[in-house]
Amino acid sequence: MSDMVCKKCGTSWIVPKKLKSILSKARSSQPERYNELLSLCPKCRPQAFGERTIGKDLKKVPRSWRIPRRRVEERKPVKVDPRSGATVYQSQCYICNSGCDALVFEKDGKVIKVEGDPSSPITKGTLCCKGLASKEQLYHKDRILYPMKRIGQRGEGRWQRISWDEALDTAAGRFKEIEKKFGPDSIVLATGTKRGTWVDYVMRFANAWRKQWTSTGWAQCAIPRLSAGGMVLGGPAAECPDFSKTTCILVWGANPPNNWPHQAVHLMDAWSRGVPMIVVDPELRETSSKADIWLQLRPGTDAALGLGFINVIISEGLYDKEFVEKWCIGFDELKARAGEYDLDRVEKITWVPKAKIREAARLYATSKPACMMHSVGIEQNADTISSCLTTVMLPALTGNLDIPGGNLYPMFQGMRGRDDLDYTLKHTITPEREKNILGSTQYPLLSSNECVLYPTAHNSTLWKTMLDGKPYPMKGIYIHGTHLAVNVANTQQVTAALRGLEFIVVVDILMNPTAELADILLPAATWLERDEVACHIQASYNAIQIGQAVVRQGECRSNYAIMNDLAKRLGVENMFPPESDEPFFDFMLGKTGLTWKILKEKGGHTFPDVFKKYEKNGFNTPSKKVELANSKMKRLGVDPLPIHREPSESPISTPELAKDYPLIITTGGRLSMYRHSEGRNIEILRELMPHPLMSIHPATAQGLGILDGDEVVVETPRGSMEAWANLTEGIHPGVVQLPSHWSGMNNVNLVMDNERCAPLIGSTQLRCQLCRVKRKK
Amino acid sequence: MNRTVKKMLVVLDCCVGCHACEIACRQEHDLTHETGSKWCRVMTVKPRRVRDELHLDYFPTLCVHCDDPLCLKSCPVEAITKREDGLVLVNGQKCNGCRLCISACPYGAMSFNEVTKAAGKCDFCLGRVEYGIEPSCVQHCLGGALRYVSPEELNEVTKGKHTAFFEKVCYASSQWKLVL
């Protein structure tokens, strides 16, 4: 027995014998850790070597599977598969935007199989069901294989095959005509989820052409998170959790097995080691079913729950005092704000028992290192910036920034990304042009140059402009890889707006209801048919990956080639030659010393890990510190601290409406077999989920006379849609969950409101509206 | 020759219900939509309350290569054999498509291929294993629920856990008692 003085809080404590014996076992392997642990009192000591310091009432974590779960074989990249004689290409799967390493087996000019790459540290050899079924998409009967022009009425579906030259000349000619007649802002470019680097290239094209562009998802996905991360942490650290060395996992509004497969691999590896996991999710799903603490919150109240977390962490003194003192500013302001959210209030707002919130916040804050993962679930409510601010602050308050097992800053060391001005040409956006971008005054963090990446036209404002011609006429659209007729809220408005346009060009892989509206249809290449160089945080925080063209179906062309060729015909400067993508790839790699040829030989490149990068140059914020009360929002004249804002429709904010529409509808629970609107035409995937299932509590269903598997009608003040009931106890009786992106009458966007958007960033409130449900007669 | 030592360990705790194994299996064995055939399936055990706690589980199922296979007994043309190392294999060439094995199998592991008109089932990716590569479902399992391990490793890992042993397959869980 000996007296020790805690290095962190200064109180003296006695080292129990038992602890000494536990720790001495680990002494030989990790002497520094041993000393560190002995110098801290039980309250300050991170959980280690199976000893738990707090939360005795916590559900025991009995699992721990002791073998390394998956032995990544050091399988050298084989050029020829000995079994089938097929040529093997190392590539990067872009069936979604995760960018998993994949092997493509090609024989006699046909892709025979797609597999995970067992030598990849990113995926550990795995690939999800969508990626594995990529071949089905490549050879699908609905592929658009040749440029086509519409010969019947719009949407009638009658097409005539034309040559690339004719298609691009027609498109360029018509666009020039519209520009001359209706002014430079009468044309807009639209794109969807990032799939490699080309989606950002649409934005470069738009900037070079001096047009505005819109991304269907940005305001609802990624930009709120990245904005909050940029303003507070000076970078997307909150997007890069390091599961490999963590001792506690916090998952907030994400379901990685379904929408971020390679992160799920690392998450489940940590989980099966016995690392405790906290999940915030309104429904019991793939990830929340594994949680040690599952916080089932009322949809749309993430900011309140986050403030509750911060309240516990600050008021109980669990934050990393040293880090906060040295590296954070605005702590006192945050402390005052969090003080307003005592757990009684938070429990009332979020419906989560306060004991559970306290337990979860304590577990997260006292485990070190701990990592946090958040995703799109927190980005579709009444105040998305607030909810994202609370989550990105958690790793800063607990000192988990840029340490192994915490949240990491990406390091691409010279590879150009979407924050590079030479690439995005953001600096060419003049104040006049900026003023004309739709939504720039109302949603500065999305549509003005204040945007963390580059400004994008606000979705619902755009549809309105198309319909009523204010403030200027909008007559043409270039749609590159997005399914507007399904993807965005208020489908009726969107399709009416598109139908009213003079000229539509659609670039896509498969025929779909959006493509049917086109005047000119251009065939794009699937990921198996195009080269790609990409580094992005969705895949990895420190690797450059490549994709390789393996085969070519019909006359499809790479996305870069299509845009470059069109730009050439439009006389747009600052683009690359359409003949080859290589000069562009070399430009992207410019400062790394690598070239496309080298990468193709090597199959990718990984930069070495560097931790605590902030110690050298500080954080990438104006004050070079973590800005808990950030200067950007102060400069914009708004409250820089997170706040709970009640959804514009909820039993609390609109009790009258709730009498008619008693259930909260939350949409967009992702499915593992589909990516957004993609994949439903691939039969082997469709077999897994033939129709959309609405999650509803059995008690609620019983009251409505609904049985499991019944067809139901969901009504909101905007309209109605249909789905099938899935009775599950894993959802609150007052909430229903509907999957998004189904087409026709099963499209949940038919009933979603897009008028009332989140302040500053314009997200539609897809996760928290009101509805009523009845059995279909 | 022709002996596989390793066994399949199915860790029920770790299955996240992502269906990667199903599609990996269908790609590997060319089980297209038209064949209507599946050798590996993931079942969802919907949320239910056990001792006042909600549980949601996923259950990957594949052929367990029974010690005393009923499919083998039911086959009139001896297309099904049990190898020395325990693997139960179907010879598609010998199969006459009578489908008796499909009704005989208590686990629903046997499945009929509408294109080749023959029965088929999981063979632990024998073709891959012979080249030293893990079975496809094991390689692609996101949650790490499927593992292809040596008997020694299997005993080591499942120590203190609930298990259900078959000759070539072992189901294991730290939460649920498994009853055969």
Side-chain angles (χ1 to χ4, degrees):
Chain A
M1 293 274 195
S2 62
D3 244 328
M4 294 280 288
V5 176
C6 176
K7 214 169 63 177
K8 216 166 169 184
C9 62
T11 52
S12 61
W13 65 290
I14 295 163
V15 186
K17 246 189 186 158
K18 193 178 149 220
L19 176 68
K20 264 199 164 167
S21 70
I22 292 173
L23 292 181
S24 60
K25 274 182 210 153
R27 189 178 194 171
S28 51
S29 59
Q30 288 172 291
E32 306 100 311
R33 189 119 170 84
Y34 170 76
N35 289 333
E36 185 201 317
L37 286 165
L38 272 189
S39 61
L40 297 173
C41 73
K43 214 179 158 190
C44 297
R45 189 187 322 126
Q47 166 211 345
F49 305 115
E51 193 224 17
R52 203 175 278 281
T53 53
I54 59 133
K56 268 182 224 126
D57 49 339
L58 182 82
K59 183 179 145 192
K60 237 181 121 229
V61 187
R63 58 165 193 277
S64 90
W65 299 92
R66 266 167 302 166
I67 48 164
R69 179 168 80 104
R70 194 178 285 112
R71 268 143 303 185
V72 180
E73 303 154 56
E74 278 300 318
R75 241 165 79 189
K76 292 275 169 300
V78 277
K79 298 280 180 216
V80 177
D81 177 36
R83 292 173 54 212
S84 55
T87 316
V88 184
Y89 289 81
Q90 265 193 312
S91 195
Q92 195 182 10
C93 171
Y94 270 115
I95 205 79
C96 78
N97 50 343
S98 303
C100 299
D101 290 318
L103 298 180
V104 184
F105 294 70
E106 177 265 337
K107 197 179 181 187
D108 305 329
K110 282 204 92 140
V111 171
I112 57 165
K113 195 166 65 173
V114 174
E115 260 187 30
D117 182 350
S119 66
S120 164
I122 297 173
T123 64
K124 299 195 183 182
T126 63
L127 202 60
C128 74
C129 56
K130 302 179 283 285
L132 287 161
S134 297
K135 190 184 83 177
E136 312 286 322
Q137 189 195 49
L138 174 69
Y139 296 118
H140 200 275
K141 62 176 179 8
D142 290 342
R143 269 301 292 278
I144 303 168
L145 293 174
Y146 306 97
M148 289 191 283
K149 72 172 179 195
R150 174 167 65 83
I151 47 173
Q153 290 296 310
R154 175 157 288 166
E156 203 185 325
R158 284 170 58 212
W159 302 95
Q160 187 191 347
R161 182 179 161 184
I162 53 174
S163 72
W164 269 104
D165 280 333
E166 190 189 340
L168 292 171
D169 282 336
T170 315
R174 287 296 301 276
F175 277 138
K176 277 186 191 162
E177 229 171 76
I178 290 171
E179 204 178 350
K180 217 169 152 191
K181 209 164 142 193
F182 299 102
D185 287 310
S186 53
I187 296 163
V188 65
L189 290 85
T191 189
T193 332
K194 194 174 160 79
R195 304 284 160 96
T197 311
W198 68 263
V199 173
D200 300 318
Y201 200 71
V202 178
M203 164 273 321
R204 182 186 169 94
F205 181 28
N207 278 340
W209 191 12
R210 299 182 194 288
K211 294 283 164 284
Q212 54 183 318
W213 84 300
T214 191
S215 168
T216 42
W218 273 36
Q220 287 76 243
C221 177
I223 286 293
R225 264 181 288 157
L226 294 174
S227 299
M231 292 188 298
V232 176
L233 309 174
E239 315 305 311
C240 309
D242 177 14
F243 294 118
S244 61
K245 296 173 199 75
T246 198
T247 57
C248 175
I249 303 168
L250 171 60
V251 180
W252 202 307
N255 194 5
N258 286 6
N259 58 13
W260 208 349
H262 65 78
Q263 289 286 29
V265 172
H266 295 275
L267 181 138
M268 286 305 293
D269 270 352
W271 183 88
S272 58
R273 280 205 313 271
V275 174
M277 178 158 75
I278 306 158
V279 180
V280 182
D281 194 328
E283 194 187 349
L284 192 69
R285 293 285 295 267
E286 287 81 354
T287 313
S288 39
S289 69
K290 309 285 177 215
D292 296 288
I293 303 176
W294 170 42
L295 304 176
Q296 186 184 22
L297 83 174
R298 173 163 68 96
T301 60
D302 303 82
L305 186 62
L307 282 159
F309 261 66
I310 294 174
N311 185 332
V312 173
I313 290 170
I314 293 181
S315 66
E316 298 193 1
L318 304 175
Y319 59 96
D320 187 333
K321 296 180 187 76
E322 209 177 300
F323 182 86
V324 168
E325 212 161 274
K326 199 170 168 199
W327 291 109
C328 296
I329 58 167
F331 178 73
D332 294 328
E333 290 161 73
L334 178 68
K335 187 177 175 181
R337 173 61 51 85
E340 295 167 22
Y341 290 82
D342 56 275
L343 289 190
D344 289 312
R345 184 178 169 201
V346 174
E347 175 176 330
K348 226 167 140 188
I349 298 173
T350 61
W351 300 350
V352 185
K354 62 181 176 189
K356 249 185 165 172
I357 304 175
R358 181 169 286 126
E359 193 182 307
R362 280 181 183 168
L363 176 64
Y364 172 73
T366 52
S367 311
K368 201 158 186 183
C371 68
M372 191 278 299
M373 173 186 208
H374 63 177
S375 192
V376 65
I378 61 171
E379 292 178 299
Q380 303 176 343
N381 54 40
D383 191 348
T384 48
I385 285 290
S386 278
S387 46
C388 295
L389 282 176
T390 57
T391 50
V392 300
M393 280 171 189
L394 293 174
L397 284 172
T398 50
N400 281 312
L401 278 181
D402 225 17
I403 57 167
N407 284 72
L408 305 178
Y409 284 90
M411 41 198 141
F412 297 126
Q413 303 184 356
M415 169 96 182
R416 288 180 209 273
R418 45 190 184 179
D419 50 356
D420 184 285
L421 290 182
D422 285 341
Y423 172 37
T424 63
L425 304 177
K426 185 179 173 183
H427 58 284
T428 66
I429 302 177
T430 56
E432 293 82 63
R433 255 190 75 203
E434 186 191 357
K435 206 173 68 209
N436 274 342
I437 296 174
L438 296 168
S440 61
T441 40
Q442 213 179 346
Y443 308 115
L445 291 182
L446 177 77
S447 311
S448 80
N449 271 338
E450 295 289 349
C451 177
V452 65
L453 297 175
Y454 34 87
T456 163
H458 181 244
N459 276 336
S460 33
T461 316
L462 178 67
W463 319 134
K464 242 184 269 160
T465 305
M466 283 180 180
L467 285 170
D468 58 18
K470 284 175 204 159
Y472 42 74
M474 182 66 77
K475 296 291 176 188
I477 190 167
Y478 171 82
I479 302 173
H480 197 133
T482 180
H483 193 357
L484 292 176
V486 162
N487 274 351
V488 274
N490 201 344
T491 303
Q492 300 97 319
Q493 190 190 22
V494 181
T495 39
L498 290 178
R499 278 176 179 276
L501 294 177
E502 294 215 341
F503 187 60
I504 301 175
V505 174
V506 172
V507 188
D508 216 318
I509 291 169
L510 294 161
M511 203 64 191
N512 61 45
T514 308
E516 275 167 16
L517 296 174
D519 293 276
I520 296 283
L521 206 50
L522 301 174
T526 63
W527 68 270
L528 295 161
E529 298 161 307
R530 60 184 164 93
D531 293 328
E532 186 68 278
V533 150
C535 70
H536 57 95
I537 47 174
Q538 272 116 347
S540 157
Y541 65 96
N542 66 347
I544 300 178
Q545 297 160 280
I546 60 156
Q548 295 195 59
V550 178
V551 290
R552 186 176 176 217
Q553 286 287 95
E555 286 182 5
C556 71
R557 290 176 77 177
S558 89
N559 303 291
Y560 304 109
I562 296 172
M563 280 183 266
N564 286 331
D565 214 349
L566 185 59
K568 200 170 125 191
R569 285 160 214 255
L570 285 162
V572 170
E573 284 168 18
N574 279 326
M575 298 287 278
F576 287 86
E579 290 78 26
S580 159
D581 296 341
E582 196 178 328
F584 170 69
F585 294 149
D586 286 344
F587 162 77
M588 291 302 283
L589 294 164
K591 297 180 226 162
T592 56
L594 295 160
T595 62
W596 165 246
K597 285 215 171 73
I598 298 175
L599 275 182
K600 210 171 160 174
E601 202 58 40
K602 279 177 68 176
H605 182 80
T606 307
F607 297 110
D609 279 340
V610 186
F611 298 108
K612 293 201 173 182
K613 297 178 274 289
Y614 57 84
E615 285 188 336
K616 211 171 154 197
N617 297 320
F619 292 91
N620 186 21
T621 56
S623 60
K624 299 284 167 209
K625 290 190 171 180
V626 172
E627 299 189 346
L628 297 172
N630 67 78
S631 50
K632 193 171 187 175
M633 286 170 82
K634 278 183 185 165
R635 188 157 46 77
L636 292 170
V638 292
D639 177 11
L641 292 166
I643 185 174
H644 167 65
R645 199 181 302 258
E646 197 49 41
S648 57
E649 275 177 15
S650 82
I652 292 151
S653 59
T654 54
E656 278 305 309
L657 187 72
K659 278 181 196 158
D660 278 342
Y661 299 94
L663 294 168
I664 296 175
I665 175 172
T666 178
T667 79
R670 300 292 193 258
L671 301 165
S672 62
M673 54 298 263
Y674 306 128
R675 181 60 174 187
H676 297 168
S677 57
E678 278 177 60
R680 285 167 185 80
N681 41 16
I682 293 169
E683 287 96 351
I684 56 169
L685 295 179
R686 187 67 180 254
E687 278 178 30
L688 298 170
M689 180 67 73
H691 45 231
L693 296 179
M694 177 190 73
S695 305
I696 185 169
H697 195 273
T700 317
Q702 199 182 16
L704 295 164
I706 294 169
L707 302 174
D708 200 18
D710 274 357
E711 227 177 316
V712 293
V713 178
V714 181
E715 291 174 338
T716 73
R718 269 86 46 194
S720 67
M721 57 86 61
E722 291 162 13
W724 281 259
N726 169 37
L727 270 51
T728 164
E729 276 204 64
I731 196 154
H732 191 279
V735 180
V736 292
Q737 192 273 121
L738 272 148
S740 55
H741 297 100
W742 290 80
S743 61
M745 269 317 282
N746 299 329
N747 182 2
V748 75
N749 281 326
L750 286 170
V751 302
M752 299 316 277
D753 168 59
N754 69 349
E755 286 258 314
R756 289 160 293 183
C757 301
L760 292 170
I761 197 119
S763 335
T764 39
Q765 302 178 25
L766 299 170
R767 304 273 166 168
C768 42
Q769 300 192 5
L770 291 176
C771 75
R772 63 179 173 223
V773 175
K774 60 183 185 195
R775 219 177 130 197
K776 194 181 169 189
K777 297 249 157 47
Chain B
M1 268 306 276
N2 274 347
R3 277 186 65 90
T4 55
V5 186
K6 286 189 171 180
K7 298 183 179 196
M8 186 73 81
L9 168 64
V10 185
V11 183
L12 295 177
D13 294 0
C14 294
C15 181
V16 288
C18 70
H19 300 280
C21 51
E22 278 189 52
I23 305 295
C25 178
R26 297 186 77 161
Q27 289 288 310
E28 180 64 33
H29 301 286
D30 216 12
L31 304 173
T32 56
H33 172 67
E34 289 73 35
T35 62
S37 185
K38 269 187 194 182
W39 294 359
C40 166
R41 264 170 299 176
V42 180
M43 297 193 300
T44 305
V45 188
K46 274 171 69 166
R48 69 244 177 258
R49 238 165 241 289
V50 181
R51 275 184 238 109
D52 216 39
E53 246 181 72
L54 263 184
H55 290 274
L56 163 64
D57 288 281
Y58 301 95
F59 201 103
T61 57
L62 27 81
C63 173
V64 294
H65 298 263
C66 304
D67 305 349
D68 188 13
L70 292 170
C71 56
L72 188 151
K73 287 184 180 161
S74 73
C75 184
V77 290
E78 292 178 349
I80 302 172
T81 47
K82 190 167 173 72
R83 284 200 333 190
E84 219 176 289
D85 60 358
L87 284 184
V88 179
L89 300 176
V90 184
N91 185 340
Q93 250 95 52
K94 273 193 188 172
C95 175
N96 66 354
C98 70
R99 307 188 197 207
L100 282 174
C101 54
I102 292 165
S103 41
C105 176
Y107 302 102
M110 200 54 92
S111 109
F112 192 72
N113 188 325
E114 293 291 346
V115 174
T116 62
K117 300 285 174 200
K121 66 161 196 69
C122 170
D123 60 357
F124 282 178
C125 285
L126 210 56
R128 289 169 70 98
V129 172
E130 279 169 0
Y131 278 92
I133 312 170
E134 285 179 316
S136 195
C137 54
V138 174
Q139 183 190 329
H140 294 106
C141 180
L142 293 191
L146 299 170
R147 305 169 192 200
Y148 196 57
V149 292
S150 67
E152 297 79 41
E153 276 173 319
L154 191 135
N155 290 336
E156 176 68 28
V157 174
T158 52
K159 221 177 264 171
K161 303 281 197 284
H162 303 298
T163 51
F165 268 99
F166 297 88
E167 196 174 340
K168 293 299 271 186
V169 180
C170 171
Y171 280 89
S173 169
S174 64
Q175 277 193 57
W176 306 111
K177 211 165 176 182
L178 301 165
V179 184
L180 273 182

